[in-house]
Amino acid sequence: MYRSEDTEPKKHRIRHWSYWKTGYILIAPVLFVLIIVNLYPSLYQIFISFMSYKLGSPISSFNGIANYQKLLTDVRFWNSLVITLKLLLYTLPVQLVLGIILAMLLDASRYHKYFLPLLVLPVVTTPVVVGYIFQYMFREDYGLISYFLRLLHLFPGYNLTANTGTVLPAIAMVDTWQWTPFVMIVLLAGLQSLPSSVYEAARVDGGSWWDIFLKITLPLLKSQILVVLLFRTVDVLRIFDTIFALTRGGPGTGSESLTIYLQLTGFRFRNLGYAGAMGMFLLVIASLFTTAFMKLAKSEGIEEEK
Amino acid sequence: MFEKKMILMFVVFLLLTCFSCSAFAADKVKVNVAVTVGPNAAAAQAIKPIFEVKNPDIEVNITEIPWTDIYQIQLLDFMSKKGNFDLVMQSTSFFGEYVLDGFLEPLEEYFNDVSLIDKTAFNLDDFNPNVLKAVGSYEGKLYALPYMYFPQIMVYRSDLLKTIGWKVPATFDEYSNIVKKFSEIKGIYGTSIIGIKGGAGGNVYAWGPYLFGFGGYYIDQQGKPAFNSPEAVKALEYYAGLYKYSPSEAINMGTDQVTSAFGAGNVGIILMDADNAMSLLDPKYTEFSDKTSFDLVPKSPGSEAGSPLLGAWSWAISKFSNNKKAAFKVLTAFMGNDPEIVDAYVKNGIHPRLSVLNKYSSTYPNYALVAKELPNTKTVPVIPNWPQIRNPGGSHFQSHPGQDEPTRRFK
Amino acid sequence: MRFVQKHRQLLLVVILSVVTFLFLLPLIWAFLTSLKLHRDVFTFPPKWIFTPTIENYLYVLRETDYLKFMSNSIVISFSSAAMSVFLGALAAFGLSRFRVKGSKTILMWILSLRMIPPIAIVVPFYLMAIRIGLYDTRSGLAIVLLAINVPIAVWLQMSYIREIPKAIEESAMLEGCSPIGAFFRVVLPLEATGLFATFIMCLIFSWNEFPLTMILTGNVSKTLPVSMLSWDTQRGLQWGNMMAASMMAIAPILIFTALAQKYLVRGLTLGSVVD
């Protein structure tokens, strides 16, 4: 959370009019860019969402709230919302737990700086490429994942993305592979900033390892955990690239997330007005989540910004 | 003075960005054509050098686009009105939509322009009239020329058939028996269905020969979707039944991927578009080329012959093209009479013209089959709301087989 | 006791090596596949030992427009990142050192750009691009990508500028520098690390961007991630070629990361977590 500091300079000599003006001059270019790439598109988006607008023809007519009404009754839309929420449910806890474990392992190791550069590679790999690499690895007959699952007798050995029951866990798995390192490095940064004196005091008091973890480590990591949750939530809400490359929303509508359905509606079914309404809905969800996390951070008295 | 410096830097950055949009000068007329990846592109690439030698003033620039994306990419281009594509490609499933929205240029006046075409050499009657109607004209006006046919044919591994000692299946019952038998061979899937959502290249089209074989059709006489008619349900159940003997990822595979799965030697017998099937005879594409054989699609219990779905890709001139005349030259030359071009074409796909089809029947087995099949083929309905019917239909039965778990090859 | 400690470190190294290997496995596997001949790809069980070949890479370079897409990617992401860093530095300086009315709101507005899904506003972007004639141009895309980069640029650089003691620029100003002069002469040089870190982060984000790029580029300005789509076809199952293309598409990113690994935590969390 940004808390504006007292930026007033103490020296009276430099507090003249041009000094005040400077701040506005400095932020003007960014404001200009923001208006072009955010304010105007957002307003336009709201406008479109009230229109009946088919891609390829001129904006035809005011549609009232028909697009929003359609959202309420569109089964496929609700299905895609459920899928998006399910993905959140499958990914967040797993990534958090795995991330904490890995961060603690790294923190305990003296040689963590040799592992870190390698471990963060998944985070920066282009998501579309990740999708295709995993599409290859999920293949039933020559894919590596199916091969391992078969070796472990864990699964009948079919392509996990080919079944409506397993496609979401499979996508969650890809997401976990890509983003657990992110959770890990953030939490590691938190762990390393903790003063070691706290631990020593706790150890002297005779607390068990688990006690120390629950009562000291976790509370101290709270701000980092919140940051991670916030970023992961908004990123899962906008997951698109991976699913697009992996299954394109199939089988059936089994992995059709909100974003995939939005793209389909706008640019396949050419219903831009309806896609606009869907985009507004997505915006609202994303901002709800963001505000909720921010509120939480505030109530915990955490200052994200150091 | 530092303000000045700042402004200067800002300008430099803006300029940097502007430089990045490079302008290229061209002295030749450049005709940009969109084709789908696969046989369509292969044929176009083979003809391009021949055409450019004969027409030194025209440069053909081929853009290969996957069939899954070509609709959207062309649509975005139409919207931009830039005419990045001079020739656009459409399948039966969205041709009508393009025409209705005025994206395509009517061809009539070009055909009447003697400077552009020798009418005696290019005979429109040489195209199958049904196809010309389905993918070329709308309400009697000609907008596009068929570029390639893709009715399905049966593709099977003759070596495997010899191993089990059965004869080539002629009915759907025999077909499914063979599929079962093939899947008992280690390392082989009996068949592979095409499961991915979509028209040309996807499940709605691939299901066609099964649907027609069981006596159904996509829509009823009132033009309403008929996916629930008893015949269609039977055909769907049959199709879903085949999924048990397919690779599990078949549910997300289109004709392209199924073709290459067959080429990898994992699949016993499939119904495949005749143009895609052609690459399976190419020893450079697959090491099983000499073990691959073609035959007619199975016939339904009561009928004389099987009826495949006659899909076709067609080419039209974009309304927004800047070089319409040159584009027309390309369009007619690629499907024209020039023996060299025809020769390059037929090595890569199914030529849209009847005379060529008949002429090469003795050379290429799939040409012979397509020529034989043509009278029995059916096309998809040419109705404006077909895409709206097609997509939910595609989803519907992509999820249908998804509920059956394939029997596994590796136990 | 010392022995146990030594043992523990060894154990940790073993565990971490296994974990690292598992996380790298998909990338390693893709790399190995890119070196395989077609016949080595379709085998069961998967082959680990084979004769490597660079044929796939040659194929991608020769038969596709790979170099064109690569140059598009480079031009677009570099120019967009450079613009964002410059604009972001100005704004970050202005917001953290001067009293600006509504600065809190502006900051939250900027942050919200990072939070909204880009696909949610792709429709207006697309219509705008067409209207101004920026559809399918590199400059158009570079500008649109500012929407992705500006939040990173502003928030990240703010966290760096805050670390610079205010006294330094104040003394510069007392010596007669204008505030903006102080920014260029004193703050920017001190913030060099921040500039570099921000540039790399923006580069990574613009390089990887897919949904907006897919809609806003046609044939002319197609970037590498978007060009990956065309492998999903009949040739697509030529996994060797496809993986060669993938490897070349992510190689630059991996290099950027190697350069900026130190700044990654801070960059990815927009400066809210400091290493």
PDB file of all heavy atoms in Angstrom, chain A residues 214-225:
ATOM      1  N   LEU A 214       4.734 -21.943  12.859  1.00  0.00           N
ATOM      2  CA  LEU A 214       3.372 -21.408  12.924  1.00  0.00           C
ATOM      3  C   LEU A 214       3.320 -20.061  13.622  1.00  0.00           C
ATOM      4  O   LEU A 214       2.603 -19.162  13.198  1.00  0.00           O
ATOM      5  CB  LEU A 214       2.458 -22.389  13.665  1.00  0.00           C
ATOM      6  CG  LEU A 214       1.847 -23.510  12.838  1.00  0.00           C
ATOM      7  CD1 LEU A 214       0.815 -24.255  13.666  1.00  0.00           C
ATOM      8  CD2 LEU A 214       1.203 -22.967  11.569  1.00  0.00           C
ATOM      9  N   LYS A 215       4.085 -19.941  14.706  1.00  0.00           N
ATOM     10  CA  LYS A 215       3.903 -18.753  15.544  1.00  0.00           C
ATOM     11  C   LYS A 215       4.813 -17.613  15.157  1.00  0.00           C
ATOM     12  O   LYS A 215       4.532 -16.457  15.457  1.00  0.00           O
ATOM     13  CB  LYS A 215       4.119 -19.123  17.013  1.00  0.00           C
ATOM     14  CG  LYS A 215       3.001 -20.024  17.512  1.00  0.00           C
ATOM     15  CD  LYS A 215       2.965 -20.124  19.007  1.00  0.00           C
ATOM     16  CE  LYS A 215       1.864 -21.064  19.454  1.00  0.00           C
ATOM     17  NZ  LYS A 215       2.368 -22.139  20.300  1.00  0.00           N
ATOM     18  N   ILE A 216       5.926 -17.933  14.524  1.00  0.00           N
ATOM     19  CA  ILE A 216       6.854 -16.850  14.199  1.00  0.00           C
ATOM     20  C   ILE A 216       7.007 -16.636  12.698  1.00  0.00           C
ATOM     21  O   ILE A 216       6.740 -15.558  12.178  1.00  0.00           O
ATOM     22  CB  ILE A 216       8.227 -17.116  14.849  1.00  0.00           C
ATOM     23  CG1 ILE A 216       8.048 -17.144  16.355  1.00  0.00           C
ATOM     24  CG2 ILE A 216       9.218 -16.025  14.445  1.00  0.00           C
ATOM     25  CD1 ILE A 216       9.280 -17.492  17.103  1.00  0.00           C
ATOM     26  N   THR A 217       7.367 -17.717  11.983  1.00  0.00           N
ATOM     27  CA  THR A 217       7.674 -17.532  10.559  1.00  0.00           C
ATOM     28  C   THR A 217       6.464 -17.040   9.772  1.00  0.00           C
ATOM     29  O   THR A 217       6.527 -16.029   9.084  1.00  0.00           O
ATOM     30  CB  THR A 217       8.183 -18.843   9.944  1.00  0.00           C
ATOM     31  OG1 THR A 217       9.085 -19.443  10.860  1.00  0.00           O
ATOM     32  CG2 THR A 217       8.875 -18.589   8.639  1.00  0.00           C
ATOM     33  N   LEU A 218       5.358 -17.781   9.896  1.00  0.00           N
ATOM     34  CA  LEU A 218       4.183 -17.429   9.094  1.00  0.00           C
ATOM     35  C   LEU A 218       3.697 -16.008   9.347  1.00  0.00           C
ATOM     36  O   LEU A 218       3.493 -15.248   8.408  1.00  0.00           O
ATOM     37  CB  LEU A 218       3.058 -18.436   9.335  1.00  0.00           C
ATOM     38  CG  LEU A 218       3.033 -19.651   8.413  1.00  0.00           C
ATOM     39  CD1 LEU A 218       1.720 -20.404   8.567  1.00  0.00           C
ATOM     40  CD2 LEU A 218       3.225 -19.238   6.963  1.00  0.00           C
ATOM     41  N   PRO A 219       3.509 -15.617  10.606  1.00  0.00           N
ATOM     42  CA  PRO A 219       3.048 -14.244  10.823  1.00  0.00           C
ATOM     43  C   PRO A 219       4.004 -13.208  10.245  1.00  0.00           C
ATOM     44  O   PRO A 219       3.571 -12.186   9.708  1.00  0.00           O
ATOM     45  CB  PRO A 219       2.996 -14.134  12.353  1.00  0.00           C
ATOM     46  CG  PRO A 219       2.847 -15.520  12.832  1.00  0.00           C
ATOM     47  CD  PRO A 219       3.573 -16.370  11.860  1.00  0.00           C
ATOM     48  N   LEU A 220       5.308 -13.491  10.331  1.00  0.00           N
ATOM     49  CA  LEU A 220       6.250 -12.511   9.808  1.00  0.00           C
ATOM     50  C   LEU A 220       6.226 -12.454   8.282  1.00  0.00           C
ATOM     51  O   LEU A 220       6.593 -11.467   7.681  1.00  0.00           O
ATOM     52  CB  LEU A 220       7.666 -12.824  10.288  1.00  0.00           C
ATOM     53  CG  LEU A 220       7.925 -12.499  11.764  1.00  0.00           C
ATOM     54  CD1 LEU A 220       9.284 -12.953  12.183  1.00  0.00           C
ATOM     55  CD2 LEU A 220       7.771 -11.001  11.992  1.00  0.00           C
ATOM     56  N   LEU A 221       5.800 -13.570   7.688  1.00  0.00           N
ATOM     57  CA  LEU A 221       5.762 -13.617   6.221  1.00  0.00           C
ATOM     58  C   LEU A 221       4.447 -13.080   5.650  1.00  0.00           C
ATOM     59  O   LEU A 221       4.223 -13.107   4.454  1.00  0.00           O
ATOM     60  CB  LEU A 221       5.948 -15.051   5.727  1.00  0.00           C
ATOM     61  CG  LEU A 221       7.373 -15.587   5.700  1.00  0.00           C
ATOM     62  CD1 LEU A 221       7.368 -17.005   5.180  1.00  0.00           C
ATOM     63  CD2 LEU A 221       8.254 -14.716   4.822  1.00  0.00           C
ATOM     64  N   LYS A 222       3.558 -12.640   6.549  1.00  0.00           N
ATOM     65  CA  LYS A 222       2.205 -12.310   6.118  1.00  0.00           C
ATOM     66  C   LYS A 222       2.168 -11.362   4.915  1.00  0.00           C
ATOM     67  O   LYS A 222       1.421 -11.559   3.965  1.00  0.00           O
ATOM     68  CB  LYS A 222       1.441 -11.697   7.281  1.00  0.00           C
ATOM     69  CG  LYS A 222      -0.045 -11.937   7.204  1.00  0.00           C
ATOM     70  CD  LYS A 222      -0.705 -11.499   8.473  1.00  0.00           C
ATOM     71  CE  LYS A 222      -1.314 -12.657   9.223  1.00  0.00           C
ATOM     72  NZ  LYS A 222      -1.674 -12.297  10.594  1.00  0.00           N
ATOM     73  N   SER A 223       2.992 -10.323   4.971  1.00  0.00           N
ATOM     74  CA  SER A 223       2.910  -9.351   3.883  1.00  0.00           C
ATOM     75  C   SER A 223       3.323  -9.989   2.559  1.00  0.00           C
ATOM     76  O   SER A 223       2.688  -9.768   1.532  1.00  0.00           O
ATOM     77  CB  SER A 223       3.769  -8.138   4.194  1.00  0.00           C
ATOM     78  OG  SER A 223       5.129  -8.483   4.156  1.00  0.00           O
ATOM     79  N   GLN A 224       4.370 -10.799   2.585  1.00  0.00           N
ATOM     80  CA  GLN A 224       4.792 -11.453   1.349  1.00  0.00           C
ATOM     81  C   GLN A 224       3.712 -12.403   0.836  1.00  0.00           C
ATOM     82  O   GLN A 224       3.465 -12.497  -0.357  1.00  0.00           O
ATOM     83  CB  GLN A 224       6.093 -12.234   1.544  1.00  0.00           C
ATOM     84  CG  GLN A 224       7.338 -11.390   1.505  1.00  0.00           C
ATOM     85  CD  GLN A 224       7.632 -10.726   2.842  1.00  0.00           C
ATOM     86  OE1 GLN A 224       6.952 -10.989   3.835  1.00  0.00           O
ATOM     87  NE2 GLN A 224       8.629  -9.863   2.859  1.00  0.00           N
ATOM     88  N   ILE A 225       3.085 -13.126   1.773  1.00  0.00           N
ATOM     89  CA  ILE A 225       2.044 -14.069   1.362  1.00  0.00           C
ATOM     90  C   ILE A 225       0.884 -13.323   0.704  1.00  0.00           C
ATOM     91  O   ILE A 225       0.339 -13.753  -0.319  1.00  0.00           O
ATOM     92  CB  ILE A 225       1.556 -14.903   2.572  1.00  0.00           C
ATOM     93  CG1 ILE A 225       2.677 -15.847   3.011  1.00  0.00           C
ATOM     94  CG2 ILE A 225       0.304 -15.692   2.230  1.00  0.00           C
ATOM     95  CD1 ILE A 225       2.364 -16.682   4.205  1.00  0.00           C
TER      96      ILE A 225
END
